[in-house]
Amino acid sequence: MDYTNKNFPELKNDRLLRAALGKEVDKVPVWVMRQAGRYLPEFQAVRAKHDFFTVCRTPELACEVTLQPLRRYEHLDASIIFSDILVIPQALGMTVEMHPGVGPVFPKPLKDPSEIDDLQEDGAVSRLLYVGKAITLTRHKIEGKVPLIGFTGAPFTLLGYMIEGGGSKTMAKTKDWIENHTKDVHKLLRMLTRVIIDYLVMQVESGAQLLQVFESSADHLTREQFAVISAPYLKEIRNGVKTKLEEKQLEQVPMTVFAKGAGHSLDVQSQLGYETIGLDWTVDPVEARKIVGDNITLQGNLDPQDLYKTLEEIKELTINMVRKFGKFRYIANLGHGITPQTPLESMTAFTESVHEAV
Ligand code: CP3
């Protein structure tokens, strides 16, 4: 297939985009973070044959696993391109491996601020063109069934992985850098911000119809730190994407910010320019709406652990959640990614109940 032929099939289900833009919807749109993932046997079958980052780097494989959840769950109103937030540190020249049962591992994390200068910002986005190819191929193969979401990690979350060398419970090293190498931390956050803006614009050029920015490690930051370390860069990303799309005379796309654990800063988040704010399950929908006002869409926020309850309980919890959020400016989702052991029927119960609710 010629990926460069961008005459995409017409979009048949625009609930997600309508909700993100504050337009009326017939039903509440629903999708699930990590909907292409290990809870699906068909995903595991692909992973049994191919390394994680090989799947990310091979457009045909990335496209295939992106489409898998849509085949199984008719109620899904969106797809998210299969990739990972850590492809950016890779494009900057760092090695990242995915170890089964462990997660991402950087054999050589950043040990000293002087190593920031070794990162290869030049050409980083050109080394990520495989993500664009996967997006373009998926837009064709999806046949307009639902919109395709592009995504990135946010600067602080990426910096944390680059310094810790993988996931971390304490973020001890990152916190040490924030306190003792403050200027270097901001230098790296600025570099990541520049790369992220161009990376997201490339995703839109390739066919992404909505963009989500994952600040998944925001739960390590106090309200004061969030305002300094995360929020300014999230805002710059939103503005930067808008400006560059204008310059390139490309259509604007709505954007979502998901800052996990930053429910203490919804007032700050509502000033960043994003159309949608993603909420984790610790945030009360009614309280969140009061804080952000009526000009922003909310997304979330069922606890992923609730999908281990009985189907009856899942239905009840989901319907209660949708009633609390209401039909206006709302996208149903979990409050974080779906976890690997989740029973397949739980996803049916969740997605179906969203459409039945209100
Ligand atoms: O379906 C989708 O949501 C699209 C694909 C997607 C993946 N990662 C695939 C993946 C997306 C959007 C991500 C984002 C991502 N990656 C985040 C932000 C979202 C979040 O969960 O907070 C983060 C922090 C990462 C980094 C990452 N990748 C970690 C910490 C791990 C290990 C933990 C885990 O859940 O396994 C990964 C691995 C990963 N990324 C898997 C998948 C399907 C599982 C790995 C495997 O198949 O072996």
Side-chain angles (χ1 to χ4, degrees), residues 31-38 43 47 52 80-86 98 100 102-104 151 157 161 167 214 216-217 258 260 336-337 340:
W31 69 281
V32 167
M33 289 187 275
R34 294 284 176 96
Q35 66 187 28
R38 283 166 302 176
F43 174 77
R47 283 283 285 112
F52 179 80
I80 179 162
I81 191 64
F82 188 84
S83 183
D84 199 85
I85 62 165
L86 300 177
M98 199 58 78
V102 179
F151 72 91
T157 296
Y161 277 97
F214 285 94
S216 302
S217 303
F258 174 60
K260 183 171 178 285
H336 198 199

Side-chain angles (χ1 to χ4, degrees), residues 67-276:
L67 297 178
Q68 283 176 346
L70 298 180
R71 293 192 193 113
R72 198 181 264 275
Y73 300 110
E74 56 175 315
H75 290 282
L76 285 173
D77 293 303
S79 57
I80 179 162
I81 191 64
F82 188 84
S83 183
D84 199 85
I85 62 165
L86 300 177
V87 297
I88 289 184
Q90 283 180 335
L92 294 172
M94 298 183 81
T95 301
V96 188
E97 296 159 0
M98 199 58 78
H99 293 190
V102 179
V105 174
F106 292 61
K108 287 187 206 144
L110 299 179
K111 286 240 152 61
D112 185 273
S114 65
E115 292 168 12
I116 295 173
D117 293 331
D118 300 335
L119 295 170
Q120 295 148 34
E121 180 180 354
D122 281 356
V125 174
S126 70
R127 289 186 286 279
L128 290 167
L129 287 176
Y130 63 86
V131 178
K133 285 186 178 159
I135 288 173
T136 304
L137 177 61
T138 306
R139 275 295 302 275
H140 286 292
K141 288 253 174 114
I142 214 167
E143 294 173 334
K145 214 175 149 209
V146 293
L148 179 60
I149 302 170
F151 72 91
T152 182
F156 168 70
T157 296
L158 294 179
L159 171 136
Y161 277 97
M162 291 160 77
I163 293 174
E164 301 293 334
S168 165
K169 284 218 166 74
T170 61
M171 296 278 266
K173 296 182 185 117
T174 306
K175 288 181 180 177
D176 178 67
W177 278 51
I178 291 174
E179 272 176 34
N180 299 312
H181 305 297
T182 316
K183 272 195 177 161
D184 299 295
V185 161
H186 285 282
K187 180 175 156 184
L188 182 49
L189 292 171
R190 280 196 302 273
M191 181 209 284
L192 288 165
T193 300
R194 289 191 295 272
V195 173
I196 287 166
I197 291 169
D198 288 342
Y199 178 46
L200 290 176
V201 169
M202 183 273 279
Q203 292 189 33
V204 174
E205 281 183 295
S206 305
Q209 291 157 294
L210 183 150
L211 299 169
Q212 176 153 327
V213 181
F214 285 94
E215 189 71 291
S216 302
S217 303
D219 50 2
H220 290 281
L221 300 174
T222 62
R223 178 174 160 87
E224 288 70 27
Q225 288 171 321
F226 181 77
V228 178
I229 302 279
S230 176
Y233 300 100
L234 291 170
K235 189 171 185 175
E236 204 174 322
I237 289 167
R238 182 65 193 97
N239 289 338
V241 169
K242 190 177 208 171
T243 307
K244 291 220 168 166
L245 290 178
E246 259 163 26
E247 280 167 12
K248 294 189 169 224
Q249 299 188 323
L250 289 163
E251 242 186 271
Q252 296 291 334
V253 298
M255 288 180 66
T256 300
V257 61
F258 174 60
K260 183 171 178 285
H264 50 60
S265 295
L266 288 174
D267 54 339
V268 178
Q269 290 192 54
S270 70
Q271 301 304 311
L272 301 176
Y274 289 77
E275 284 73 9
T276 300

